Short mmCIF file of all heavy atoms in Angstrom, two decimals:
data_model
loop_
_atom_site.label_atom_id
_atom_site.label_comp_id
_atom_site.label_asym_id
_atom_site.label_seq_id
_atom_site.Cartn_x
_atom_site.Cartn_y
_atom_site.Cartn_z
N GLY C 352 237.43 178.95 252.53
CA GLY C 352 237.38 177.43 252.91
C GLY C 352 237.30 176.56 251.81
O GLY C 352 237.98 175.58 251.58
N GLY C 353 236.27 176.76 250.98
CA GLY C 353 235.98 175.92 249.83
C GLY C 353 235.29 174.59 250.36
O GLY C 353 235.40 174.19 251.51
N THR C 354 234.66 173.92 249.51
CA THR C 354 234.01 172.58 249.89
C THR C 354 234.97 171.52 250.09
O THR C 354 235.90 171.45 249.26
CB THR C 354 232.91 172.27 248.79
OG1 THR C 354 231.92 173.34 248.78
CG2 THR C 354 232.37 170.88 249.12
N MET C 355 234.86 170.76 250.95
CA MET C 355 235.73 169.56 251.20
C MET C 355 235.09 168.22 251.52
O MET C 355 234.09 168.28 252.25
CB MET C 355 236.76 169.87 252.25
CG MET C 355 237.81 168.75 252.53
SD MET C 355 239.08 169.17 253.83
CE MET C 355 240.22 170.19 252.89
N LYS C 356 235.52 167.17 250.97
CA LYS C 356 235.08 165.80 251.40
C LYS C 356 236.12 165.16 252.17
O LYS C 356 237.34 165.20 251.87
CB LYS C 356 234.83 165.06 250.04
CG LYS C 356 234.07 163.66 250.43
CD LYS C 356 233.51 163.02 249.02
CE LYS C 356 234.68 162.52 248.22
NZ LYS C 356 234.11 161.75 247.05
N GLY C 357 235.63 164.57 253.25
CA GLY C 357 236.71 163.94 254.20
C GLY C 357 236.27 162.49 254.50
O GLY C 357 235.83 161.77 253.78
N ILE C 358 236.55 162.22 255.80
CA ILE C 358 236.34 160.84 256.29
C ILE C 358 234.91 160.37 256.06
O ILE C 358 233.95 161.17 256.15
CB ILE C 358 236.69 160.70 257.73
CG1 ILE C 358 235.88 161.60 258.67
CG2 ILE C 358 238.15 160.88 258.05
CD1 ILE C 358 235.99 161.39 260.08
N ASN C 359 234.84 159.11 255.75
CA ASN C 359 233.55 158.47 255.37
C ASN C 359 232.74 159.23 254.47
O ASN C 359 231.46 159.32 254.46
CB ASN C 359 232.62 158.30 256.79
CG ASN C 359 233.54 157.42 257.74
OD1 ASN C 359 234.26 156.60 257.37
ND2 ASN C 359 233.36 157.76 258.98
N ASN C 360 233.49 159.94 253.48
CA ASN C 360 232.83 160.70 252.43
C ASN C 360 231.99 161.86 252.87
O ASN C 360 231.10 162.33 252.20
CB ASN C 360 232.08 159.85 251.43
CG ASN C 360 232.97 158.92 250.73
OD1 ASN C 360 234.03 159.26 250.22
ND2 ASN C 360 232.69 157.54 250.68
N HIS C 361 232.18 162.26 254.09
CA HIS C 361 231.52 163.43 254.63
C HIS C 361 231.93 164.67 253.87
O HIS C 361 233.05 164.92 253.62
CB HIS C 361 231.89 163.52 256.11
CG HIS C 361 231.09 164.52 256.87
ND1 HIS C 361 229.98 164.15 257.65
CD2 HIS C 361 231.05 165.83 256.91
CE1 HIS C 361 229.44 165.18 258.21
NE2 HIS C 361 230.06 166.33 257.73
N VAL C 362 230.93 165.41 253.45
CA VAL C 362 231.19 166.61 252.68
C VAL C 362 230.84 167.85 253.48
O VAL C 362 229.75 167.93 254.06
CB VAL C 362 230.44 166.75 251.33
CG1 VAL C 362 230.62 168.05 250.63
CG2 VAL C 362 230.85 165.51 250.41
N VAL C 363 231.70 168.81 253.61
CA VAL C 363 231.40 170.06 254.32
C VAL C 363 231.41 171.23 253.19
O VAL C 363 232.36 171.35 252.49
CB VAL C 363 232.46 170.38 255.33
CG1 VAL C 363 232.19 171.77 255.93
CG2 VAL C 363 232.39 169.33 256.43
N ASP C 364 230.35 171.87 253.00
CA ASP C 364 230.24 172.93 251.98
C ASP C 364 231.18 174.13 252.30
O ASP C 364 231.27 174.50 253.51
CB ASP C 364 228.81 173.44 251.86
CG ASP C 364 227.90 172.38 251.30
OD1 ASP C 364 228.32 171.45 250.56
OD2 ASP C 364 226.68 172.42 251.68
N GLY C 365 231.63 174.69 251.30
CA GLY C 365 232.20 176.05 251.39
C GLY C 365 231.14 177.08 251.49
O GLY C 365 229.94 176.83 251.08
N LEU C 366 231.49 178.20 252.02
CA LEU C 366 230.47 179.36 252.06
C LEU C 366 230.01 179.69 250.77
O LEU C 366 230.88 179.90 249.85
CB LEU C 366 231.18 180.47 252.77
CG LEU C 366 230.28 181.65 253.13
CD1 LEU C 366 229.37 181.28 254.34
CD2 LEU C 366 231.13 182.93 253.46
N PRO C 367 228.72 179.71 250.46
CA PRO C 367 228.32 180.18 249.12
C PRO C 367 228.38 181.65 249.00
O PRO C 367 227.52 182.54 249.31
CB PRO C 367 226.81 179.72 249.19
CG PRO C 367 226.38 179.66 250.56
CD PRO C 367 227.60 179.39 251.33
N VAL C 368 229.55 182.06 248.43
CA VAL C 368 229.97 183.52 248.55
C VAL C 368 228.98 184.37 247.75
O VAL C 368 228.58 185.39 248.29
CB VAL C 368 231.34 183.65 247.90
CG1 VAL C 368 231.75 185.06 247.73
CG2 VAL C 368 232.39 183.00 248.85
N GLU C 369 228.50 183.95 246.54
CA GLU C 369 227.61 184.79 245.88
C GLU C 369 226.27 184.99 246.61
O GLU C 369 225.68 186.08 246.58
CB GLU C 369 227.27 184.32 244.50
CG GLU C 369 228.52 184.60 243.47
CD GLU C 369 229.04 186.08 243.51
OE1 GLU C 369 228.10 186.93 243.53
OE2 GLU C 369 230.16 186.27 243.70
N ARG C 370 225.80 183.92 247.19
CA ARG C 370 224.54 184.08 248.02
C ARG C 370 224.79 185.04 249.17
O ARG C 370 223.88 185.80 249.57
CB ARG C 370 224.01 182.76 248.44
CG ARG C 370 223.60 181.84 247.18
CD ARG C 370 222.90 180.63 247.71
NE ARG C 370 221.84 180.89 248.60
CZ ARG C 370 221.45 180.13 249.64
NH1 ARG C 370 222.18 179.06 249.85
NH2 ARG C 370 220.48 180.43 250.36
N VAL C 371 225.96 184.91 249.85
CA VAL C 371 226.23 185.85 250.99
C VAL C 371 226.31 187.27 250.44
O VAL C 371 225.66 188.18 251.10
CB VAL C 371 227.53 185.41 251.57
CG1 VAL C 371 228.01 186.52 252.66
CG2 VAL C 371 227.46 184.10 252.31
N ARG C 372 226.87 187.50 249.33
CA ARG C 372 226.90 188.89 248.80
C ARG C 372 225.48 189.36 248.43
O ARG C 372 225.16 190.55 248.67
CB ARG C 372 227.67 188.90 247.50
CG ARG C 372 229.18 188.54 247.77
CD ARG C 372 230.05 188.65 246.42
NE ARG C 372 230.31 190.07 246.13
CZ ARG C 372 230.00 190.60 245.01
NH1 ARG C 372 229.43 189.97 244.03
NH2 ARG C 372 230.30 191.90 244.82
N ALA C 373 224.62 188.48 247.99
CA ALA C 373 223.24 188.92 247.70
C ALA C 373 222.52 189.28 248.91
O ALA C 373 221.81 190.27 248.99
CB ALA C 373 222.55 187.81 246.95
N ILE C 374 222.75 188.49 250.01
CA ILE C 374 222.06 188.81 251.30
C ILE C 374 222.63 190.13 251.75
O ILE C 374 221.79 190.92 252.35
CB ILE C 374 222.37 187.62 252.27
CG1 ILE C 374 221.60 186.41 251.86
CG2 ILE C 374 222.03 188.10 253.71
CD1 ILE C 374 222.05 185.11 252.58
N LEU C 375 223.89 190.31 251.76
CA LEU C 375 224.38 191.64 252.16
C LEU C 375 223.88 192.81 251.35
O LEU C 375 223.60 193.87 251.88
CB LEU C 375 225.98 191.64 252.12
CG LEU C 375 226.74 190.69 253.12
CD1 LEU C 375 228.18 190.90 253.03
CD2 LEU C 375 226.23 190.89 254.57
N ARG C 376 223.81 192.57 250.07
CA ARG C 376 223.31 193.60 249.17
C ARG C 376 221.85 193.99 249.55
O ARG C 376 221.49 195.19 249.72
CB ARG C 376 223.42 193.18 247.73
CG ARG C 376 223.00 194.35 246.68
CD ARG C 376 223.04 193.85 245.30
NE ARG C 376 224.42 193.50 244.85
CZ ARG C 376 224.87 192.27 244.46
NH1 ARG C 376 224.03 191.28 244.55
NH2 ARG C 376 226.13 192.10 244.19
N ASP C 377 221.02 192.99 249.86
CA ASP C 377 219.65 193.20 250.23
C ASP C 377 219.63 194.00 251.53
O ASP C 377 218.72 194.82 251.72
CB ASP C 377 218.94 191.85 250.43
CG ASP C 377 218.59 191.17 249.22
OD1 ASP C 377 218.83 191.75 248.10
OD2 ASP C 377 218.14 189.94 249.19
N ALA C 378 220.59 193.83 252.33
CA ALA C 378 220.56 194.50 253.66
C ALA C 378 221.21 195.91 253.60
O ALA C 378 221.44 196.53 254.62
CB ALA C 378 221.30 193.71 254.74
N GLY C 379 221.66 196.27 252.39
CA GLY C 379 222.38 197.49 252.28
C GLY C 379 223.70 197.52 252.81
O GLY C 379 224.31 198.52 253.17
N ARG C 380 224.29 196.39 252.92
CA ARG C 380 225.63 196.17 253.61
C ARG C 380 226.71 195.68 252.73
O ARG C 380 227.69 195.16 253.14
CB ARG C 380 225.42 195.32 254.77
CG ARG C 380 224.67 195.86 256.01
CD ARG C 380 225.32 196.98 256.69
NE ARG C 380 226.33 196.53 257.59
CZ ARG C 380 227.43 197.31 258.10
NH1 ARG C 380 227.51 198.57 257.51
NH2 ARG C 380 228.23 196.84 258.85
N LEU C 381 226.51 195.71 251.39
CA LEU C 381 227.59 195.28 250.44
C LEU C 381 228.24 196.47 249.88
O LEU C 381 227.63 197.40 249.39
CB LEU C 381 227.00 194.39 249.30
CG LEU C 381 227.98 193.66 248.51
CD1 LEU C 381 228.76 192.63 249.29
CD2 LEU C 381 227.39 193.17 247.15
#
Side-chain angles (χ1 to χ4, degrees):
Chain C
T354 295
M355 181 180 275
K356 186 166 71 175
I358 58 171
N359 302 330
N360 293 313
H361 191 100
V362 174
V363 175
D364 289 333
L366 188 74
V368 169
E369 282 312 310
R370 293 188 55 215
V371 168
R372 295 183 77 237
I374 291 167
L375 293 184
R376 187 180 293 115
D377 286 350
R380 292 290 281 156
L381 190 73

